[in-house]
């Protein structure tokens, strides 16, 4: 689950009436001669546009969650690889190795434990491939949505991640 502090925000810039409160003649003259730094055009946001923006935000959040899940699986895979490497260093083949299944540790021979570790690594690698495929599919959807939204709104919409 994504922490609320790491959520990304996307903004649609819409024109805002700006009224300068001037108390002196110089401030009135200065306000009259000031030009807006960015011209914001008036854009009509339809229900379909709002649906696309919402889908973009949901997809981005889901992709972030999937990437976090992939990172967790990478750490687990590295732990399994380290355990497998350590297991190969043992000289005594008759030694029973405790292997955790759920909340219980079961003792197995070194060969059985090595096989279980290899099976667990293969399962994790397959899960990571599936997650990476899902991330890739979401990235394609996001790319399509970006093209459509930027085509309609131009610079009035910001679909880039706000890392704050």
């Amino acid at each position: 689950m994504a922490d609320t502090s790491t959520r990304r925000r996307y903004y649609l810039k819409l024109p805002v009436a700006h009224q300068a409160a001037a108390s002196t003649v110089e401030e009135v003259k200065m306000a009259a001669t000031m030009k807006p730094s960015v011209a914001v055009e008036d854009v009509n946001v339809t229900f379909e546009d709002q649906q696309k923006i919402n889908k973009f935000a949901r997809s981005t959040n889901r992709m972030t969650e999937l990437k976090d899940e992939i990172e967790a699986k990478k750490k687990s895979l590295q732990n399994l690889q380290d355990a497998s490497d350590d297991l190969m260093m043992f000289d005594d083949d008759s030694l029973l190795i405790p292997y955790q299944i759920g909340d219980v540790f079961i003792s197995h021979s070194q060969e059985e434990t090595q096989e279980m570790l290899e099976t667990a690594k293969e399962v994790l690698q397959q899960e990571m491939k599936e997650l990476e495929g899902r991330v890739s599919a979401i990235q394609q959807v996001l790319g399509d949505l970006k093209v459509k939204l930027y085509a309609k709104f131009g610079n009035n919409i910001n679909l880039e991640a706000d890392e704050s």
Side-chain angles (χ1 to χ4, degrees):
M1 287 263 168
D3 184 29
T4 56
S5 64
T6 61
R7 286 192 180 161
R8 295 187 171 115
R9 299 183 194 271
Y10 302 92
Y11 300 99
L12 179 64
K13 299 180 214 169
L14 297 176
V16 178
H18 178 69
Q19 298 177 352
S23 60
T24 66
V25 175
E26 288 100 37
E27 289 177 4
V28 172
K29 287 180 183 178
M30 191 169 66
T33 59
M34 288 180 55
K35 295 181 183 175
S37 59
V38 177
V40 179
E41 38 184 278
D42 191 16
V43 179
N44 185 23
V45 180
T46 64
F47 178 74
E48 290 81 21
D49 296 333
Q50 188 62 52
Q51 293 299 93
K52 288 177 187 174
I53 293 168
N54 292 345
K55 182 176 182 181
F56 186 89
R58 284 191 310 270
S59 297
T60 301
N61 286 338
R62 181 65 183 140
M63 187 174 67
T64 302
E65 290 171 359
L66 290 174
K67 284 182 177 181
D68 291 345
E69 202 172 324
I70 289 170
E71 286 302 313
K73 290 193 183 296
K74 280 183 183 177
K75 288 179 184 176
S76 295
L77 184 63
Q78 184 61 45
N79 289 340
L80 289 174
Q81 184 61 44
D82 292 346
S84 179
D85 292 345
D86 289 346
L87 191 59
M88 283 188 223
M89 288 188 220
F90 287 143
D91 293 333
D92 189 6
D93 290 338
S94 63
L95 188 64
L96 292 177
I97 309 294
Y99 188 87
Q100 185 176 7
I101 301 176
D103 292 336
V104 179
F105 285 91
I106 300 175
S107 295
H108 292 284
S109 69
Q110 184 176 354
E111 184 178 313
E112 289 173 327
T113 305
Q114 189 68 34
E115 289 173 10
M116 293 174 81
L117 286 172
E118 291 302 319
T119 303
K121 287 194 300 189
E122 290 171 7
V123 167
L124 268 177
Q125 288 171 339
Q126 182 62 31
E127 289 174 356
M128 284 173 48
K129 282 182 184 177
E130 290 172 10
L131 290 173
E132 287 168 352
R134 290 169 63 187
V135 166
S136 177
I138 289 173
Q139 285 174 332
Q140 288 178 338
V141 169
L142 290 174
D144 293 342
L145 286 170
K146 258 187 183 182
V147 167
K148 291 175 184 175
L149 291 170
Y150 276 131
K152 176 154 185 184
F153 297 108
N155 290 335
N156 293 326
I157 190 167
N158 180 11
L159 298 175
E160 303 307 316
D162 181 12
E163 297 297 329
S164 60

